[in-house]
Amino acid sequence: MPELPEVEHIVRALRRSVRGRRILAAEIKLPRLLVGSSPASFKRKLRGARIDGVNRRGKYILIELDNQQVLVVHLRMTGKFLCIGADQPLPPYPHVVFYLDDDRRLVFCDMRQFGRMRLLPAKKLSALPQIETLAPEPLTDDFSLAYFLETLSKSRRSLKQLLLDQTRILGLGNIYASEALFLARISPLKPADSLSKRRALRLHEAIREILQEAIDAGSTLRIDLTDGNGSYFGTTERFWRVYERAGEPCVNCGTRIRRVVQGGRSTYFCPRCQRR
Ligand SMILES: [Zn+2]
């Protein structure tokens, strides 16, 4: 499942590829991925609309149209966009096809079919419950140290579990939560409200650093939306400091990385470097 940095790359790739294009028509092959509108009204509202911007809030992709509508897309497990030429065959699982005014097609494919798409007036976006409840964007000033300290003080959950709660701390999935805690040298098992201010500052910095690092790493990849077979992220192996490295030596101290299960999800950490 893509985490926030990967969604950011997809947004940038979409922006490069389709911004300024008009949607001549849309074809819906899997109606149940549309939320809140029938295929007929979805198609009618998209016809002739120009794509003015592609942005993101959390992991929701926002495709902004010149008719004051916004298409909100969540990729979930396996959703992806591909952009193909008129003579290219459709990729597998092409659930929604947007016909663009330059003869290309923007195709939303999804093997597992958990992805969702919703078209709504742009002015109603911020009131959409899934959007409204999201914590501040982690790489903006809204995610301040003051906000972080207050959020920590109000939670007795373990740090790892709090970091995964997108309504409190946005942007960390299972991989980056483990990595950020390792970078900050704090145990994932520590209760959030017991963290000292000094260590909270370190974790706040680590969260931003780990996300920025992931975004920077991906920008050298340049996702190619025209790769029909596609793995977006190609064959490039990312190196994780602790994630999925149970039993391997810690990069700092050589101690074996441990794996524990928290809230049904695996957590990886160094029992020596990451103190409670
Ligand atoms: Zn260590």
Side-chain angles (χ1 to χ4, degrees):
M1 167 143 42
E3 294 205 29
L4 185 137
E6 288 80 43
V7 176
E8 174 65 26
H9 293 137
I10 293 164
V11 162
R12 292 178 186 186
L14 278 169
R15 204 180 283 148
R16 285 194 299 270
S17 192
V18 300
R19 187 166 58 178
R21 299 268 59 92
R22 259 181 214 289
I23 297 169
L24 301 180
E27 190 179 349
I28 323 289
K29 295 170 188 280
L30 186 73
R32 72 181 162 82
L33 73 79
L34 302 183
V35 181
S37 54
S38 66
S41 87
F42 186 85
K43 286 196 273 194
R44 192 178 60 246
K45 286 174 186 159
L46 281 177
R47 194 173 300 132
R50 190 183 66 221
I51 298 171
D52 272 356
V54 184
N55 285 298
R56 171 188 69 69
R57 178 76 176 95
K59 297 205 293 183
Y60 291 90
I61 296 170
L62 311 174
I63 298 177
E64 297 153 357
L65 305 170
D66 71 339
N67 62 4
Q68 280 73 55
Q69 304 277 315
V70 58
L71 181 61
V72 182
V73 183
H74 200 295
L75 305 171
R76 301 278 185 89
M77 304 289 286
T78 54
K80 66 167 90 173
F81 281 106
L82 292 170
C83 201
I84 60 174
D87 51 352
Q88 275 179 276
L90 280 174
Y93 318 105
H95 302 317
V96 181
V97 183
F98 303 94
Y99 293 85
L100 304 178
D101 62 355
D102 59 359
D103 279 347
R104 290 179 308 155
R105 286 163 292 167
L106 178 65
V107 187
F108 181 77
C109 341
D110 191 352
M111 183 180 72
R112 302 278 298 271
Q113 308 187 354
F114 292 124
R116 290 293 176 265
M117 225 174 245
R118 178 196 288 264
L119 189 63
L120 78 167
K123 63 178 190 301
K124 291 193 175 169
L125 178 68
S126 58
L128 198 65
Q130 305 90 303
I131 300 284
E132 192 188 16
T133 53
L134 290 177
E137 282 293 324
L139 295 173
T140 67
D141 292 343
D142 295 340
F143 180 55
S144 63
L145 181 60
Y147 171 84
F148 189 54
L149 290 172
E150 195 194 335
T151 303
L152 290 169
S153 71
K154 287 193 293 201
S155 174
R156 289 182 187 169
R157 283 184 286 177
S158 69
L159 281 170
K160 167 72 183 328
Q161 285 179 287
L162 177 66
L163 292 188
L164 290 182
D165 181 348
Q166 304 298 298
T167 69
R168 300 285 177 267
I169 311 291
L170 185 64
L172 299 171
N174 209 36
I175 299 173
Y176 297 120
S178 282
E179 295 289 303
L181 284 161
F182 177 77
L183 203 60
R185 305 192 304 281
I186 300 168
S187 167
L189 307 168
K190 189 170 176 59
D193 62 0
S194 71
L195 196 63
S196 70
K197 192 174 172 186
R198 185 179 53 87
R199 302 179 86 203
L201 173 64
R202 219 158 67 203
L203 182 55
H204 183 253
E205 281 175 357
I207 291 169
R208 291 179 184 252
E209 197 176 323
I210 219 78
L211 290 172
Q212 191 60 56
E213 180 189 272
I215 288 173
D216 294 346
S219 51
T220 57
L221 250 56
R222 269 182 93 93
I223 292 172
D224 182 7
L225 294 180
T226 61
D227 174 10
N229 309 318
S231 162
Y232 273 153
F233 300 104
T235 52
T236 311
E237 279 282 313
R238 284 291 303 282
F239 176 76
W240 309 117
R241 295 168 178 90
V242 284
Y243 183 73
E244 287 189 337
R245 294 193 60 233
E248 295 176 38
C250 168
V251 293
N252 284 345
C253 74
T255 303
R256 285 177 189 276
I257 299 300
R258 270 186 63 191
R259 171 183 171 272
V260 292
V261 175
Q262 290 178 285
R265 319 275 315 265
S266 290
T267 301
Y268 301 86
F269 69 106
C270 171
R272 181 146 177 227
C273 295
Q274 294 176 255
R275 295 293 174 85
R276 281 193 63 153

